[in-house]
């Protein structure tokens, strides 16, 4: 009888101890669950505040860049009319679009390239005063005909209009496609300088790749 009593006594103590430990564990778990919510809220608020400052910082950087670019254009916008042979429309238009997106500055002017297409005969008629400039979209500051022969012909008939040597940008089955800067009384120094800068831009690899895409041989490939 004594042994059975002691066994029941021990079992009761073990059960009481287990109950006590389990109750303590639940109590601690509840306290931890309650304390986690404020921490989550604090972290969330910190992320929101950091995001707000980050957004305003990025917005401020963009505004600063825009302001810096606007400050460089002290002389305002300068449209640069470039007339090209129809075969060059796609590559030159693509290059002009990138040039304008970059808001390229030349001599304190924000140069905006405007591309028109026209046959060499029509452009030559305008340059020699045999046709109205409106027929080709206005007098060009630069001309890209389908052959260097047009540059040579203009140099013979109106040498004062030839502002450059007519460097070839690409070649095709019919010959080379030169870039001619138009000089003369109607061409300002800023326009001629901008035209020369755009010519160099067209010789860059990214722009030359567009000539290849149009089925033409880029100048770099033809030169070496």
């Amino acid at each position: 009888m004594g042994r059975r009593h002691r066994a029941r006594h021990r079992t009761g103590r073990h059960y009481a101890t287990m109950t006590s430990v389990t109750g303590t564990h639940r109590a601690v778990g509840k306290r931890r669950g309650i304390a986690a919510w404020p921490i989550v809220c604090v972290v969330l608020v910190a992320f929101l505040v950091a995001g707000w400052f980050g957004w305003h910082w990025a917005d401020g950087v963009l505004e600063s860049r825009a302001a810096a670019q606007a400050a460089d254009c002290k002389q305002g916008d300068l449209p640069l009319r470039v007339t090209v042979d129809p075969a060059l429309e796609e590559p030159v238009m693509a290059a002009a679009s990138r040039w304008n997106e970059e808001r390229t500055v030349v001599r304190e002017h924000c140069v905006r390239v405007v591309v028109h297409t026209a046959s060499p005969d029509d452009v030559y008629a305008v340059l020699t005063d045999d046709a109205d400039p409106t027929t080709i979209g206005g007098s060009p500051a630069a001309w890209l005909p389908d052959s260097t022969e047009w540059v040579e012909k203009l140099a013979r008939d109106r040498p004062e209009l030839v502002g450059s040597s007519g460097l070839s940008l690409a070649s095709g089955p019919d010959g080379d496609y030169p870039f001619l800067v138009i000089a003369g009384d109607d061409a300002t120094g800023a326009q001629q300088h901008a035209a020369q800068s755009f010519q160099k831009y067209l010789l860059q690899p990214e722009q030359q790749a567009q000539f290849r895409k149009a089925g033409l041989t880029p100048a770099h490939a033809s030169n070496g």
Side-chain angles (χ1 to χ4, degrees):
M1 291 296 292
R3 291 178 180 177
R4 293 177 179 176
H5 178 72
R6 284 196 296 272
R8 287 196 297 270
H9 182 69
R10 287 171 182 163
T11 303
R13 289 178 58 189
H14 178 69
Y15 176 78
T17 303
M18 290 299 293
T19 303
S20 177
V21 172
T22 304
T24 303
H25 178 70
R26 290 176 179 173
V28 171
K30 290 181 179 179
R31 287 198 296 270
R32 287 179 179 174
I34 294 172
W37 281 104
I39 296 175
V40 172
C41 292
V42 170
V43 173
L44 180 60
V45 171
F47 273 115
L48 291 175
V49 171
W52 184 85
F53 277 107
W55 182 83
H56 277 271
W57 176 83
D59 188 55
V61 170
L62 292 176
E63 289 182 357
S64 298
R65 288 179 179 175
Q69 290 176 342
D72 290 337
C73 299
K74 296 178 182 179
Q75 301 298 326
D77 292 338
L78 177 66
L80 182 69
R81 188 176 293 106
V82 179
T83 304
V84 304
D85 184 82
L88 300 179
E89 180 178 7
E90 289 187 10
V92 178
M93 285 284 288
S97 178
R98 282 190 292 273
W99 169 285
N100 293 336
E101 288 177 0
E102 294 170 5
R103 198 166 172 78
T104 307
V105 179
V106 179
R107 288 192 175 181
E108 299 184 342
H109 288 88
C110 283
V111 179
R112 182 175 56 85
V113 177
V114 181
V115 180
H116 294 282
T117 60
S119 67
D121 290 319
D122 291 337
V123 178
Y124 188 80
V126 169
L127 293 176
T128 55
D129 298 327
D130 290 332
D132 192 288
T134 58
T135 59
I136 61 170
S139 297
W143 181 28
L144 283 77
D146 63 353
S147 173
T148 55
E149 293 180 0
W150 290 101
V151 178
E152 297 170 358
K153 185 177 181 180
L154 188 65
R156 290 194 303 268
D157 298 339
R158 297 290 301 273
E160 71 279 8
L161 297 181
V162 179
S164 68
S165 59
L167 180 66
S168 294
L169 298 180
S171 61
D174 298 329
D176 294 336
Y177 293 88
F179 187 104
L180 178 65
V181 178
I182 304 301
D185 297 335
D186 295 333
T188 66
Q191 283 182 324
Q192 293 187 53
H193 192 79
Q196 292 170 357
S197 297
F198 187 60
Q199 172 185 283
K200 294 178 182 178
Y201 186 78
L202 291 175
L203 289 171
Q204 293 180 2
E206 185 176 3
Q207 278 60 252
Q208 287 285 288
Q210 295 297 321
F211 287 101
R212 183 181 291 107
K213 186 178 179 181
L216 303 173
T217 302
H220 291 306
S222 61
N223 291 336

